[in-house]
Amino acid sequence: MGDKKHDDPSIVTASHHDALTSVLGSKDEALKSIVYSYKHGFSGFAAMLTESQAEALAKFPEVITVKRNTFHKLHTTRSWDFLGLDYQPPQQSGLLQKAKYGEDVIIGVVDTGIWPESRSFNDRGYGPVPSRWKGKCQTGERFNATSCNRKIIGARSYHRGISAESLKSDYNSPRDINGHGTHVASTIAGVEVQGVSVGGLASGVARGGAPRARLAIYKACWEGDGCPDATVLAAIDHAIHDGVDVLSLSLGGFGPEYSGTLHAVQRGISLVFAGGNDGPVPQTVTNAVPWVTTVAASTIDRAFPTLISLGNSEKLVGQSLMHNASLISRDFKDLVYARSCSAELVASSNVTGKIVLCSAPAQAKFRPPAIAFQDALNHTFMAGAKGLIFAQYTTNLIDNLAGIERNMPCVLVDFEIAQRIISYFDTAGSPVVKFSPTMTVVGDGVLSPRVASFSSRGPSLAFPGILKPDITAPGVSILAARRDSYVLYSGTSMACPHVSAVTALIKSVHPDWSPAMIKSAIVTTASVTDRFGMPIQADAVPRKLADPFDFGGGHINPDRAADPGLVYDVDAKEYNNFFNCTVGLLDGCDSYQLNLNLPSIVVPNLKNQVTTWRTITNVGPAEATYRAVVEAPAGVAVSVEPSVISFTAGGSRSVTFKLTFTAKQRVQGGYTFGSLTWSDKSAHSVRIPIAIRTVVQDFVADTS
């Protein structure tokens, strides 16, 4: 329904009952129908209604919108050191230290719950729960009052509206049977845990990015039913009431109906969402409203090389997670090449007791690597194979091997390595092969970061004038807690908590900054090059240089984000016009998208010339001069007025400037990319990405 008309939650709920009574004819039917009443941060409710009842309710003048409940998917150690957030750097001056390791920042996690016994949530050395906390520890199945502590300061679960079948396969409490929520929470704020590894691989210290922050857990996602709109909205409503500072949602596919997210931002809460795992297909990014931070996933500087020895003494290297010594034979085994490893080809190849190579480049366009790999694995394992070499065009599937290694050694290779193995197979009379145990390699020799192949790409279908994703962060083979152990997971769900933690650290250092300022600081200080100064790449088909639709502003740089120099701030009330456009209450939505003061610019329909304005606010030294540096998108002329901005002590901290984009040729084109950077030629370089598409006529399908 929108903003609350009353501060008393009971009056808000009564108004919901009254509305339902008008539709259903009685108060009893209204009470039976209502599932959740959202009464803390905003006014709205979830109820069981027929199609005609929903249509009747939608006609009420006080009702903004009525939406069907939809069910959303979850998006699924070394990473913090890779980001430069060293726990104990030589000089105690990094963001982590300035933020006191996230001391007493409250981070809400909307997910599958939590496994409170994990060592990552030990509260030893923590002080009292912050007095501003208004939440609760909701008890239930295998979750009692002692499951919360001074680390997990609150936990709630939302079972109403969840199917009986789903509740049977899950804990009816905040306890996490899936593991996803525990992994996310420990990535955000887990305490230091020594000696963590996956069978000796990726060994080291596990910790969260804001290890002294407090956690508030909201279980809105359930086995089988996923994450229904109604439960997620209830979680957001409670989080607003409870007093969280940051809300992390590693969930997929929320649309503009999520007014609850806007209400949270208008109360000063930063929201961070996963961008989705449907890449590298364009226009698949989700959670694209402008007031949240939407996160893409990228790799870190860690790899798991595995030596493949052929019978002709040739040695090749793939990737694996082989740590079960009992499955790794020192002896050569017969090699079989079964092409795509379909059920028919495996059945006709006599693979029993042998190592099977599966490589079919010509079929890769028909079947995504994850599906092809699972099929190949099932067919070869069931046929009695003793090992698998699987060829693919991306290696972002490495943690798919985690559970498999207990049964059969598997190695991932690219098509080039596979071709060398095929050449040997074709020429050898009795081809044989063996694997060596997997090693862990960390450091400069690993090409990183790279945007992960699975990471969803822009532009946003829902809001083409809003650049999404906003940022990329580590999301491939992230080691974090699951139940009482530690596992490797990949996904934008794993990247999202990295940005949530950095958001919390920045909020600790700059408690007066708005969510828009924090988001701007993260986006404008991001890196578009790796540590060697080379452009960041994106795993796709084929691998390419990353652009803003892959990674937004770039790869997150936490220390730089703490001192951005300038920020693009937005009064959260300015989002109202944008939101009202999405529900059909206002026209001219293109203009609202173009002129929101975001740290990015997208013009999806440049015919001749477009002008937009942005305002920058100085959060650095009082006296500073910045000069504009423009990298114009191909085929577009860009002007900035003024091109030099000076700030003086006692003067205004904010300056508005104008950007004009002019098409150099009239053509129905694709997107080209550029940037605008404000530089003080010293410590600050404030960069926003630009994406422009020239058109001759609106709504012409780009299908050639």
Side-chain angles (χ1 to χ4, degrees), residues 32-102:
K32 290 177 185 176
S33 168
I34 198 161
V35 180
Y36 293 104
S37 175
Y38 313 127
K39 54 189 179 290
H40 299 295
F42 50 93
S43 175
F45 58 83
M48 304 292 287
L49 299 172
T50 65
E51 199 78 34
S52 60
Q53 290 167 345
E55 290 173 0
L57 183 65
K59 294 175 182 176
F60 283 31
E62 66 270 30
V63 173
I64 294 175
T65 185
V66 176
K67 297 286 186 181
R68 184 186 299 274
N69 190 25
T70 55
F71 296 73
H72 304 284
K73 294 184 294 184
L74 298 163
H75 280 167
T76 236
T77 43
R78 163 68 186 166
S79 55
W80 290 114
D81 290 336
F82 179 62
L83 292 179
L85 283 178
D86 298 330
Y87 200 77
Q88 294 176 326
Q91 299 167 332
Q92 305 290 311
S93 59
L95 171 60
L96 199 56
Q97 291 71 37
K98 291 175 183 175
K100 299 178 181 178
Y101 301 87

Side-chain angles (χ1 to χ4, degrees), residues 497-584:
H498 284 84
V499 177
S500 300
V502 172
T503 298
L505 295 175
I506 295 173
K507 200 172 188 79
S508 178
V509 174
H510 302 289
D512 56 333
W513 281 14
S514 69
M517 295 170 77
I518 295 174
K519 174 179 167 180
S520 172
I522 289 171
V523 172
T524 60
T525 58
S527 302
V528 295
T529 57
D530 64 18
R531 56 198 176 282
F532 299 114
M534 300 293 289
I536 291 174
Q537 297 182 18
D539 283 340
V541 189
R543 185 178 290 169
K544 67 183 189 69
L545 296 183
D547 63 50
F549 290 150
D550 300 317
F551 65 3
H555 188 259
I556 192 168
N557 187 326
D559 280 333
R560 282 193 62 205
D563 179 24
L566 305 173
V567 293
Y568 293 76
D569 194 13
V570 180
D571 183 337
K573 293 179 181 177
E574 291 181 24
Y575 295 125
N576 286 338
N577 285 339
F578 177 92
F579 176 76
N580 289 336
C581 277
T582 68
V583 293

Side-chain angles (χ1 to χ4, degrees), residues 66-393:
V66 176
K67 297 286 186 181
R68 184 186 299 274
N69 190 25
T70 55
F71 296 73
H72 304 284
K73 294 184 294 184
L74 298 163
H75 280 167
T76 236
T77 43
R78 163 68 186 166
S79 55
W80 290 114
D81 290 336
F82 179 62
L83 292 179
L85 283 178
D86 298 330
Y87 200 77
Q88 294 176 326
Q91 299 167 332
Q92 305 290 311
S93 59
L95 171 60
L96 199 56
Q97 291 71 37
K98 291 175 183 175
K100 299 178 181 178
Y101 301 87
E103 185 83 44
D104 287 350
V105 178
I106 301 172
I107 304 172
V109 181
V110 180
D111 214 292
T112 62
I114 198 157
W115 195 266
E117 294 83 8
S118 170
R119 291 175 290 166
S120 288
F121 309 124
N122 190 303
D123 69 347
R124 190 180 300 113
Y126 280 75
V129 172
S131 59
R132 59 194 169 88
W133 174 245
K134 300 176 186 175
K136 62 182 287 189
C137 186
Q138 181 181 323
T139 59
E141 184 180 0
R142 291 197 60 193
F143 202 95
N144 55 37
T146 60
S147 297
C148 295
N149 56 18
R150 289 170 296 178
K151 180 68 175 180
I152 304 169
I153 62 173
R156 299 178 186 263
S157 66
Y158 304 89
H159 66 271
R160 283 179 296 185
I162 301 301
S163 68
E165 184 179 355
S166 181
L167 288 174
K168 284 181 183 177
S169 59
D170 205 328
Y171 295 111
N172 193 355
S173 74
R175 182 171 289 277
D176 177 17
I177 200 169
N178 177 284
H180 189 277
T182 300
H183 196 280
V184 166
S186 64
T187 302
I188 296 173
V191 301
E192 273 198 318
V193 179
Q194 303 282 338
V196 168
S197 71
V198 176
L201 299 174
S203 61
V205 178
R207 64 178 172 89
R212 296 290 295 178
R214 314 294 181 119
L215 286 166
I217 303 304
Y218 301 89
K219 181 176 177 177
C221 302
W222 298 80
E223 288 293 288
D225 278 3
C227 316
D229 285 353
T231 61
V232 176
L233 270 175
I236 294 171
D237 187 41
H238 272 132
I240 294 171
H241 166 269
D242 294 346
V244 304
D245 300 305
V246 177
L247 204 50
S248 185
L249 301 99
S250 288
L251 323 172
F254 295 152
E257 70 270 18
Y258 268 69
S259 56
T261 61
L262 177 54
H263 287 285
V265 169
Q266 289 176 335
R267 284 158 178 76
I269 301 170
S270 292
L271 275 79
V272 184
F273 273 91
N277 298 330
D278 296 315
V281 180
Q283 298 178 301
T284 51
V285 68
T286 60
N287 302 321
V289 290
W291 49 84
V292 307
T293 304
T294 308
V295 187
S298 45
T299 63
I300 61 174
D301 63 340
R302 181 173 62 201
F304 302 102
T306 303
L307 189 66
I308 304 169
S309 300
L310 304 181
N312 62 357
S313 299
E314 186 172 9
K315 298 187 185 304
L316 307 170
V317 178
Q319 298 278 316
S320 185
L321 293 176
M322 287 192 296
H323 54 78
N324 187 342
S326 64
L327 292 178
I328 305 170
S329 172
R330 294 187 178 184
D331 300 324
F332 282 97
K333 291 189 179 300
D334 289 342
L335 172 66
V336 175
Y337 172 37
R339 291 173 173 77
S340 68
C341 287
S342 66
E344 295 78 11
L345 287 169
V346 169
S348 64
S349 298
N350 186 22
V351 304
T352 303
K354 301 174 183 179
I355 292 176
V356 185
L357 169 64
C358 303
S359 179
Q363 295 189 25
K365 65 180 179 180
F366 301 115
R367 298 164 72 228
I371 295 173
F373 171 69
Q374 287 298 332
D375 287 347
L377 174 69
N378 292 338
H379 297 153
T380 53
F381 180 71
M382 295 302 292
K386 291 300 183 182
L388 172 65
I389 304 172
F390 181 78
Q392 56 184 55
Y393 57 74

